[in-house]
Amino acid sequence: MSESIYDMAYLGKITDIRTLLSENELLKTATDNNGRMLIHWAALGGHDDLVRYLLSLDVPVDPTDDMDMTPLIMAASAGREKVVNTLINEGANVNAKTQQGHSALQYAASKNWKSICVALLEKDANVNVTDNRGATPLHRAASKGNIAIVELLIEYGRNLDIDSKDADGNSALHLACEENRVDEAKLLVKHGASVSLMNKQKKTPLNLASPGLERQLKEIQEHLS
């Protein structure tokens, strides 16, 4: 099977793509059967030179595929930091969301890409952005045990809603306790997360914590009060 121009973009074959575009300029914004342009594939593959080349041809910076993914969301999800920075500097919408409500920051927080989270937050990415299940980047980072991201969201989050609830009524602290993410849970409580907030099953974070973690969180709570 011959390689498609979209495969070439994913692999970063800029010379071949330049040749094909010189023969047919319409290819620069043509889409594949997932609604993706060359810039989506170049971003996903992490090919900054190709992304810049396509943008120089007036290819839009924020086209959406059939799931409403933008090149920025794909690059952030794949940990392609250079491409993320290029797209942000070229005006990509840092708060764009997929059909499931996932933003670039949510993917980066979930996958522990700290420098990408920093780049997005510095461009005013919404720290409290929620997906269709009400989960925020903090929910993602706390449940996965991504301590550096939890610290970052707290540090950047002048407006951080630390007790934001997802569709099940769980806060980030509920999830950290449930997954036994000890350091993350302690950090959240130190920064004011409620230990008595109830989820839809009438459980507090302390109800979900192991006995050892519950004791530690109560001690932190006592020091704060």
Side-chain angles (χ1 to χ4, degrees), residues 78-123:
R80 308 300 193 182
E81 188 182 347
K82 258 184 149 169
V83 173
V84 166
N85 287 319
T86 293
L87 292 168
I88 289 174
N89 291 332
E90 292 295 328
N93 176 7
V94 293
N95 290 313
K97 291 206 249 185
T98 66
Q99 286 171 11
Q100 274 94 30
H102 303 316
S103 71
L105 182 59
Q106 289 200 314
Y107 277 114
S110 189
K111 296 191 174 184
N112 214 12
W113 306 123
K114 184 179 176 182
S115 51
I116 290 177
C117 288
V118 170
L120 293 164
L121 289 165
E122 285 186 343
K123 287 286 183 181

Side-chain angles (χ1 to χ4, degrees), residues 8-9 11-21 47-54:
M8 290 175 190
L11 296 169
K13 296 187 172 178
I14 191 166
T15 312
D16 296 350
I17 286 173
R18 277 178 193 268
T19 305
L20 289 168
L21 293 186
H47 304 294
D48 190 53
D49 55 344
L50 181 52
V51 169
R52 286 171 184 272
Y53 170 64
L54 291 167

Side-chain angles (χ1 to χ4, degrees), residues 141-189:
S143 68
K144 293 245 169 126
N146 298 345
I147 188 83
I149 307 295
V150 175
E151 285 172 345
L152 183 72
L153 294 169
I154 289 170
E155 179 192 336
Y156 268 81
R158 289 176 300 284
N159 310 311
L160 179 67
D161 181 359
I162 204 164
D163 286 329
S164 180
K165 289 181 168 189
D166 66 13
D168 300 312
N170 288 317
S171 65
L173 182 57
H174 277 97
L175 301 183
C177 288
E178 190 171 40
E179 300 289 341
N180 201 34
R181 305 294 188 189
V182 174
D183 294 337
E184 291 75 11
K186 285 159 68 175
L187 188 64
L188 288 166
V189 173

